[in-house]
Amino acid sequence: MPEDYSDHPLLQNLNPPQREAVMHTDGPLLILAGAGSGKTTVITRRIAWLIEEKGAHPGSILAMTFTNKAAEEMRDRVAQLVSVPVAQLWVSTFHSFCTRILRREGDRTPVGRDFVIFDPSDQKSLMKQVLSELKMSEKQFHPRRVLEMISDFKNRCLLPEEAVEEALDPWTRKVLDAYTLYQKGLRNHRACDFDDLLLYTERLFREDAMQAIYGTRFQYLLVDEYQDTNRAQYLLVQHLARRHHNLCVVGDEDQSIYGWRGADIRNILDFQRDFPEAIQIKLEQNYRSSQSILDAASTVIANNAQRLGKTLWTDRGAGEPITFKLSDDGRLEAEWVVSKLQEARRYDADIKMAVLYRANWQSRQLEEALRAADMPYKLVGGTKFYERQEVKDLLSYLRLISNPYDLQSFRRAVSSPSRGVGPTTLGKIEAAIPENGTALDGVAILLKAGELKGRAAREMHRFVELFYRAANEATALGLAGLVRWTLHESGYLQMLEDEGTLEAEGRVRNLEEFLSAAAESESLGLRLPEFLDRVTLAADTDQLDQTVELSLMTIHCAKGLEFPIVFMVGMEEEVFPNRQARETDEGLEEERRLFYVAITRAKSKLYLSGARRRRMMGSEVLGMPSRFLRELPSNALETPIRWGTELYQAGQGAWTPERVRGGGGGASVASELNRIRSFFDKVRANAEVDSEGKPAPVQLAVLPSTIVPSVPADSWSKGTRIRSPRFGRGVITAATGSGEGLTYTIRFETGEKRIVARFGMLERDD
């Protein structure tokens, strides 16, 4: 480094790689910024260096990131570092940048400069019109699912006519018809959706004239979170950088966790292929976490093939080791987490803590345990479990079964799913309710009088019949059986499966967790009214203090955050990694990157936990330890987790078929045991010491004697031809889950469907 720069204010308190990244101004630069490595400091000082030392005009610098908050923080910090006004500095999100360009150059696009931006609600309304015009059934072509596919095409910069080669089946060809008409509708409204902002701007920058104008204007480009860019964003950057090559991208391939929404990790992995002259700088010194936490993160992520490679280190010292706890079941796991949270709070009442999980459904038992302990918390990035739309919809059915006089529950249930009953018909029904009667009585009166017609009459007849049947069968079904029956018979589960979107899949998983809550309550002897009381009390949020420093969130929500103490729960196969992701190498690697992100949120202490058994879809299933646990370095753990020669062996004796409730015969239990034995061949257990401090005999994880195995179901491979009584002949293209959760993706002539095996009445079509 030149001597006269050694005391430069913009280089103060930077380590050597950070200084190099700040001072590199000409040519392409790839900054691999490990978690907690001071990335934002480097980015803002690099922009300031360009202005102060390179003499770049602020208007010649374009910096793009993914959130408005990050863009505002970047702009504010640069303003504090430089001696000139930075009003002309372009710092924004990709979508804001594209909107700004289209407002200037929109006359070159199909929608002009004065377009409006359609939000998701506007998009759905337009898509419903499109499907109606094309006479495409919303059951076969759910608006959200069609919009998801169109979004995927747009993010890959494909217009309808350019996506024809991908339409290998009738269903996708019909989607392309909808795409064509949808774009026409947007043009008629002079509107863009969010994906159009990227699509149209990328199309503009394909023109030599546009590249000359904006390629000349922006002499310096900087892209943050480059690992999260999709195809359209990648091409935008390529167009803008083609003239000067002064492109700096900052990212971490090990934190690429948004593949499900179009992010392409290859963009950062192949940067030096796109720009062979590029310099690569690794920021590996971590300023957040202790070395034991970093060792765990580095060791786990090293198992991924798709990475450029780096090793995090810190001068903060080894710190506290990681604690792993294996509880007997999910409820006890949640109670253990709460006990540790309370313990930490006794030492420091204001310490920030977070409990992380893979999916939203996992919050339910944690929320219940926290409420039982009267411990305030805040749920980040989601709605509290019992306040979620799908849960409240299901509760409306159960409350109406329990209390037919509940008019509010009737109104909600009759519209979930839609039955063609609008406000006018609802008014008629309520007006027909006899004195001391119920809304169901009102429906029956109108049906008998012939005042309900067409679809409304058919649907309401089924609706009333459902509740009469529920009243007769509730006792025989039991609480969990009643919930499962209601989900199926109401059509609610089928509605979500027909939708087939990622959002719908998450809602189904929440309903499965609700079913588990019902099964737990049933095991405690609770009946439906008592269960509803328990749920209502759990959903009461009036007493919660939303200013507390305990956060519950998914790992995706936690990206970019840090906490002194972090808990990561649900360390079991099919939970984390989740059951869908395990099916491909790419999916499994993204799950491992997600675990890496979770580990690196912790500053001082990391707790990991799992359960030997967990209720999944109402049944207790054996919890196999997450493969990620095996990848942890033993020296980073508080107590080394040892692998035994027998699975789930207890001090009281090994697991035997006789100890399994509802096992269904020795052969099925033995096959289940063999399946589990094939997983890592061994299981971990905590090594303990006796009262004298000597190593105690190792006891491996105890298999509970009350476990209920998953309901067996035929497991057919990809390519198997089947028959469905509802959709006809089809071919299986994918299978996810197992037991009661076994779900097939099947390509029928009418389109693709996801069908839960236990409900599908499928037959092999030999």
Side-chain angles (χ1 to χ4, degrees):
M1 179 184 299
E3 184 66 28
D4 55 332
Y5 284 146
S6 58
D7 295 323
H8 197 290
L10 291 177
L11 303 179
Q12 291 298 306
N13 303 317
L14 299 183
N15 62 42
Q18 289 176 327
R19 289 187 171 211
E20 183 183 357
V22 167
M23 296 176 65
H24 183 282
T25 56
D26 298 316
L29 172 65
L30 170 61
I31 302 176
L32 292 178
S37 61
K39 175 192 70 171
T40 304
T41 297
V42 170
I43 292 173
T44 53
R45 293 203 192 184
R46 186 177 188 278
I47 296 173
W49 185 272
L50 286 169
I51 296 171
E52 292 291 304
E53 295 300 325
K54 186 70 176 178
H57 188 277
S60 70
I61 301 172
L62 170 62
M64 288 190 288
T65 186
F66 280 84
T67 67
N68 289 316
K69 180 180 178 182
E72 290 170 8
E73 180 185 359
M74 200 181 298
R75 188 184 300 107
D76 291 343
R77 289 176 66 167
V78 170
Q80 295 172 11
L81 292 170
V82 298
S83 58
V84 298
V86 293
Q88 297 182 59
L89 182 69
W90 286 54
V91 180
S92 68
T93 65
F94 275 95
H95 288 92
S96 295
F97 168 75
C98 291
T99 301
R100 192 170 174 182
I101 294 296
L102 292 175
R103 293 296 183 203
R104 295 175 175 220
E105 311 292 348
D107 291 342
R108 297 171 176 265
T109 73
V111 292
R113 297 183 183 184
D114 300 321
F115 57 88
V116 297
I117 300 175
F118 269 23
D119 65 17
S121 176
D122 299 324
Q123 291 178 259
K124 186 179 177 182
S125 295
L126 176 57
M127 181 52 66
K128 282 177 170 285
Q129 296 173 22
V130 166
L131 296 176
S132 175
E133 186 171 339
L134 293 175
K135 294 181 170 56
M136 293 167 62
S137 166
E138 289 190 22
K139 287 189 175 181
Q140 296 179 13
F141 299 90
H142 194 281
R144 284 199 185 97
R145 176 61 179 146
V146 176
L147 286 168
E148 272 188 2
M149 289 198 67
I150 291 173
S151 177
D152 180 62
F153 286 133
K154 289 185 177 183
N155 285 333
R156 291 186 286 134
C157 298
L158 295 175
L159 292 170
E161 60 272 17
E162 297 166 334
V164 172
E165 293 183 3
E166 298 193 15
L168 303 178
D169 58 87
W171 194 84
T172 307
R173 286 194 287 273
K174 293 290 288 182
V175 168
L176 287 183
D177 291 341
Y179 184 7
T180 301
L181 195 56
Y182 173 73
Q183 288 302 101
K184 181 180 178 181
L186 287 172
R187 290 195 296 271
N188 290 342
H189 285 86
R190 289 294 183 96
C192 291
D193 61 23
F194 289 106
D195 297 317
D196 283 331
L197 300 174
L198 300 176
L199 176 70
Y200 286 139
T201 306
E202 190 276 327
R203 295 269 157 171
L204 273 177
F205 286 165
R206 291 184 186 185
E207 302 175 16
D208 291 340
M210 289 294 98
Q211 284 190 32
I213 293 172
Y214 290 96
T216 300
R217 173 169 190 156
F218 299 120
Q219 298 179 40
Y220 300 96
L221 275 69
L222 189 148
V223 183
D224 190 17
E225 304 287 3
Y226 192 62
Q227 77 279 352
D228 293 335
T229 52
N230 60 29
R231 178 68 179 174
Q233 291 159 339
Y234 165 82
L235 290 174
L236 273 171
V237 172
Q238 295 292 311
H239 295 325
L240 288 168
R242 188 161 289 125
R243 186 176 185 88
H244 290 291
H245 279 213
N246 292 331
L247 169 64
C248 171
V249 301
V250 185
D252 182 0
E253 80 281 16
D254 293 334
Q255 296 188 71
S256 179
I257 58 174
Y258 296 110
W260 49 275
R261 70 181 188 193
D264 191 343
I265 193 175
R266 292 174 299 180
N267 294 347
I268 192 168
L269 296 178
D270 295 341
F271 183 79
Q272 289 181 290
R273 183 203 64 185
D274 296 334
F275 298 94
E277 74 276 28
I279 301 297
Q280 181 187 111
I281 298 175
K282 296 181 180 181
L283 305 183
E284 298 176 299
Q285 183 174 358
N286 179 282
Y287 294 92
R288 174 190 300 158
S289 305
S290 64
Q291 192 62 53
S292 62
I293 291 171
L294 298 181
D295 287 344
S298 295
T299 304
V300 168
I301 202 64
N303 290 282
N304 271 7
Q306 294 190 87
R307 63 190 304 260
L308 298 169
K310 58 188 171 300
T311 302
L312 300 180
W313 64 275
T314 184
D315 58 10
R316 296 186 61 211
E320 290 193 47
I322 298 169
T323 297
F324 171 69
K325 172 67 174 179
L326 183 62
S327 298
D328 192 54
D329 60 28
R331 179 180 58 82
L332 292 175
E333 177 195 27
E335 290 176 359
W336 176 81
V337 168
V338 170
S339 71
K340 289 297 181 182
L341 291 168
Q342 291 173 319
E343 183 180 305
R345 187 70 81 219
R346 283 194 292 270
Y347 284 101
D348 185 347
D350 299 320
I351 192 168
K352 290 187 177 181
M353 299 180 286
V355 183
L356 308 182
Y357 35 81
R358 175 62 181 85
N360 280 311
W361 64 267
Q362 293 174 258
S363 76
R364 195 263 304 176
Q365 286 184 319
L366 291 164
E367 290 185 65
E368 290 181 352
L370 286 165
R371 290 179 186 280
D374 197 25
M375 191 170 187
Y377 67 93
K378 56 184 175 182
L379 195 72
V380 178
T383 306
K384 290 181 172 58
F385 184 82
Y386 289 113
E387 296 173 9
R388 292 168 187 162
Q389 175 187 332
E390 59 276 9
V391 172
K392 295 182 77 171
D393 287 343
L394 177 56
L395 279 169
S396 68
Y397 281 90
L398 299 177
R399 288 188 170 119
L400 196 56
I401 291 171
S402 178
N403 175 17
Y405 294 92
D406 186 345
L407 189 57
Q408 187 63 35
S409 291
F410 169 81
R411 291 170 181 155
R412 184 165 193 136
V414 81
S415 302
S416 307
S418 172
R419 292 179 168 83
V421 176
T424 301
T425 303
L426 273 176
K428 288 182 179 180
I429 292 171
E430 293 179 20
I433 297 175
E435 186 177 355
N436 298 322
T438 70
L440 296 175
D441 295 329
V443 174
I445 290 170
L446 293 184
L447 285 171
K448 187 174 182 179
E451 294 188 33
L452 296 180
K453 308 291 185 182
R455 180 193 172 198
R458 294 191 301 273
E459 293 286 354
M460 291 310 295
H461 178 80
R462 296 191 190 101
F463 185 77
V464 171
E465 185 183 49
L466 181 149
F467 287 95
Y468 288 154
R469 288 168 58 200
N472 293 328
E473 299 181 25
T475 302
L477 287 170
L479 180 55
L482 178 63
V483 172
R484 184 184 287 109
W485 181 88
T486 303
L487 275 172
H488 180 55
E489 294 298 320
S490 66
Y492 198 91
L493 189 63
Q494 190 63 55
M495 174 191 73
L496 295 177
E497 290 176 350
D498 288 344
E499 181 175 325
T501 62
L502 289 173
E503 178 188 350
E505 186 175 329
R507 292 169 68 188
V508 169
R509 193 64 189 86
N510 287 335
L511 291 172
E512 291 172 350
E513 180 61 16
F514 183 93
L515 179 56
S516 293
E520 286 178 10
S521 295
E522 184 176 3
S523 70
L524 298 173
L526 271 62
R527 296 171 301 172
L528 179 59
E530 297 161 330
F531 172 65
L532 293 174
D533 288 345
R534 184 184 189 191
V535 168
T536 302
L537 292 173
D540 181 9
T541 60
D542 292 342
Q543 62 180 344
L544 287 182
D545 177 8
Q546 296 299 315
T547 65
V548 297
E549 299 300 335
L550 170 60
S551 302
L552 273 60
M553 68 186 84
T554 64
I555 307 170
H556 284 98
C557 285
K559 188 172 182 289
L561 304 178
E562 59 183 47
F563 305 89
I565 299 177
V566 168
F567 291 79
M568 178 67 224
V569 300
M571 295 301 301
E572 302 131 43
E573 288 291 301
E574 298 201 0
V575 177
F576 193 28
N578 72 12
R579 58 194 181 201
Q580 288 84 9
R582 297 185 312 153
E583 296 179 351
T584 64
D585 291 340
E586 292 80 5
L588 184 58
E589 290 212 350
E590 181 154 324
E591 289 290 289
R592 188 176 284 111
R593 292 195 290 270
L594 200 56
F595 187 39
Y596 172 88
V597 168
I599 294 172
T600 53
R601 297 313 93 195
K603 297 171 68 175
S604 302
K605 180 65 179 180
L606 174 64
Y607 292 93
L608 304 174
S609 66
R612 297 181 179 110
R613 57 185 172 125
R614 191 179 296 276
R615 286 194 180 273
M616 307 282 279
M617 295 164 285
S619 296
E620 287 180 337
V621 296
L622 183 65
M624 296 183 290
S626 169
R627 68 191 68 195
F628 299 149
L629 292 173
R630 187 179 178 88
E631 297 171 359
L632 290 168
S634 59
N635 60 0
L637 294 162
E638 183 177 30
T639 303
I641 308 174
R642 301 179 184 176
W643 292 88
T645 57
E646 293 293 332
L647 279 177
Y648 293 94
Q649 189 177 16
Q652 295 82 3
W655 177 41
T656 61
E658 289 75 24
R659 297 183 64 192
V660 179
R661 175 166 55 86
S668 62
V669 174
S671 63
E672 177 70 3
L673 183 57
N674 287 333
R675 180 176 73 85
I676 299 165
R677 280 197 174 118
S678 69
F679 182 77
F680 298 151
D681 298 321
K682 302 174 182 180
V683 71
R684 302 180 182 222
N686 289 323
E688 300 178 350
V689 295
D690 60 20
S691 59
E692 298 178 358
K694 298 178 182 179
V698 175
Q699 290 190 349
L700 301 185
V702 180
L703 179 73
S705 59
T706 57
I707 189 165
V708 178
S710 300
V711 173
D714 288 333
S715 182
W716 293 319
S717 60
K718 181 178 178 181
T720 301
R721 296 185 179 277
I722 57 90
R723 281 196 306 271
S724 162
R726 181 174 181 186
F727 302 110
R729 286 182 165 87
V731 177
I732 293 175
T733 59
T736 59
S738 61
E740 286 196 344
L742 178 62
T743 303
Y744 292 117
T745 302
I746 304 172
R747 181 73 72 184
F748 296 100
E749 290 185 2
T750 54
E752 192 174 78
K753 300 290 181 185
R754 295 183 71 252
I755 297 177
V756 178
R758 70 181 187 273
F759 292 146
M761 295 181 286
L762 304 174
E763 297 179 1
R764 189 165 184 140
D765 187 16
D766 296 323

